[in-house]
Amino acid sequence: MRQIIRVRRPDRNAKEAKVQKIAFLGMGAMGRRMAARLLSAGYAVTVWNRTADACEAAVSAGARTASSPSDAAHGADIVIAMLRDDGASRAVWLDPETGALPALEPHAVAVECSTLTPAWIGQLAAACEARGVDFAECPVAGSLPQAEGGQLHILAGGPPETIDRVRTVLLTMGTAVHHCGPNGAGAAVKLAVNTLYGVQIAALAEIQGFLRLAGLDLATAAEILGGLPICSPAAALAAKAMLGSEFPAAFPVDLVDKDFGYLTATAAAQGGAMPVAGAASGVFRHAVERGLGADNITGVVQLYR
């Protein structure tokens, strides 16, 4: 009698996770948590940060540390960057001596997850094309708890086939990949997301100042406002956070200020008017000038105390 041997098919995603090599550039608060998700999924991860001590947690979890973006990118299948601004992104990717892009092989994919301007994303995409490297912009919506729990929303821009190449990796860090359009579209949507949130926070801080002057109990007022249909869930959480005296940064004021500047400058370059965003931008600029830049976004309430 012929024996039937049933062979268990290997899990495709698990196999991919074991063989794919990922370089992660930028071990800030978000980058550390995103890299940790990749490590826990079994990917071979190499990390780099301008200050090497920020890599310690990732190295303890099994990552290799690199001496430069170029060193990290050498031999990688996917290179992901999570950086502060356009200037940092330009240096990390394009520096002729230490940049990641010159070290990438043609089969690799470059993924930029930072919050940047659409104009710079367009330049970086062109540089990748000239190098023969696929490029996808994938800024993320969410903060530290979402990054730690793999619950980020990925706002992807670029060719659909490129995004599909890295979709499994992206879903290790997030719950959904939203294809926003061509390169630059993800950056535009991310700036819109941060602006919508920032406008709400600026308004809430001002409203708390008004309610304080009116002699109301702010905790009660925050509970009432947060339970009404007009208040978004994010704003309701922020209103409660504004009641405290400590504002540990998840989304620091100086980065909020940077993002508002990117949005208003991008709109102005296209002849667009952003009066509401401009007014909110002024609030965060004032907060930075008052020394509140390192506080969380909700710390702008201190302007009204």
Side-chain angles (χ1 to χ4, degrees):
M1 181 175 67
R2 187 173 65 177
Q3 183 180 14
I4 299 175
I5 302 174
R6 300 188 183 277
V7 179
R8 183 180 177 184
R9 297 178 63 185
D11 182 82
R12 181 166 166 257
N13 289 344
K15 182 179 179 182
E16 180 185 37
K18 291 177 181 177
V19 300
Q20 269 193 313
K21 297 177 181 179
I22 300 175
F24 205 107
L25 311 176
M27 289 285 102
M30 291 290 288
R32 286 197 299 271
R33 289 163 170 81
M34 293 164 70
R37 295 291 306 178
L38 297 172
L39 285 163
S40 66
Y43 289 100
V45 179
T46 298
V47 296
W48 171 87
N49 194 71
R50 184 175 55 84
T51 53
D53 57 351
C55 298
E56 290 177 359
V59 171
S60 297
R64 181 181 82 86
T65 186
S67 60
S68 67
S70 176
D71 178 33
H74 183 72
D77 300 303
I78 299 171
V79 178
I80 302 171
M82 189 65 171
L83 306 162
R84 180 182 178 86
D85 53 28
D86 282 11
S89 177
R90 182 178 288 105
V92 163
W93 286 109
L94 300 187
D95 186 279
E97 294 183 2
T98 62
L101 184 56
L104 283 179
E105 299 177 11
H107 74 273
V109 185
V111 179
E112 179 54 272
C113 290
S114 317
T115 302
L116 307 172
T117 62
W120 163 240
I121 287 296
Q123 294 173 36
L124 181 55
C128 288
E129 183 177 7
R131 173 72 181 170
V133 170
D134 286 345
F135 172 74
E137 55 153 347
C138 298
V140 301
S143 191
L144 302 186
Q146 290 76 33
E148 191 162 333
Q151 298 173 330
L152 296 168
H153 284 259
I154 315 296
L155 308 174
E161 58 273 19
T162 301
I163 295 165
D164 285 342
R165 285 190 63 191
V166 295
R167 187 177 298 274
T168 300
V169 170
L170 295 174
L171 289 175
T172 301
M173 301 181 289
T175 57
V177 177
H178 307 277
H179 187 209
C180 302
N183 282 312
V189 172
K190 178 58 191 295
L191 291 176
V193 168
N194 285 6
T195 299
L196 181 58
Y197 184 50
V199 166
Q200 292 177 80
I201 300 304
L204 279 170
E206 189 173 291
I207 287 167
Q208 276 207 6
F210 163 72
L211 295 173
R212 183 185 298 274
L213 292 173
L216 274 75
D217 177 75
L218 296 183
T220 300
E223 192 70 31
I224 293 170
L225 289 173
L228 297 175
I230 58 167
C231 191
S232 72
L237 288 173
K240 291 182 179 179
M242 287 179 180
L243 300 174
S245 58
E246 302 265 339
F247 302 94
F251 186 14
V253 169
D254 57 0
L255 289 186
V256 181
D257 176 54
K258 180 266 292 185
D259 292 347
F260 269 95
Y262 279 176
L263 177 106
T264 53
T266 299
Q270 301 297 322
M274 305 288 290
V276 175
S281 178
V283 173
F284 293 106
R285 169 50 40 186
H286 182 42
V288 171
E289 292 167 352
R290 284 275 301 273
L292 304 176
D295 286 350
N296 194 48
I297 183 173
T298 49
V300 294
V301 73
Q302 296 168 94
L303 296 174
Y304 302 96
R305 291 180 177 174

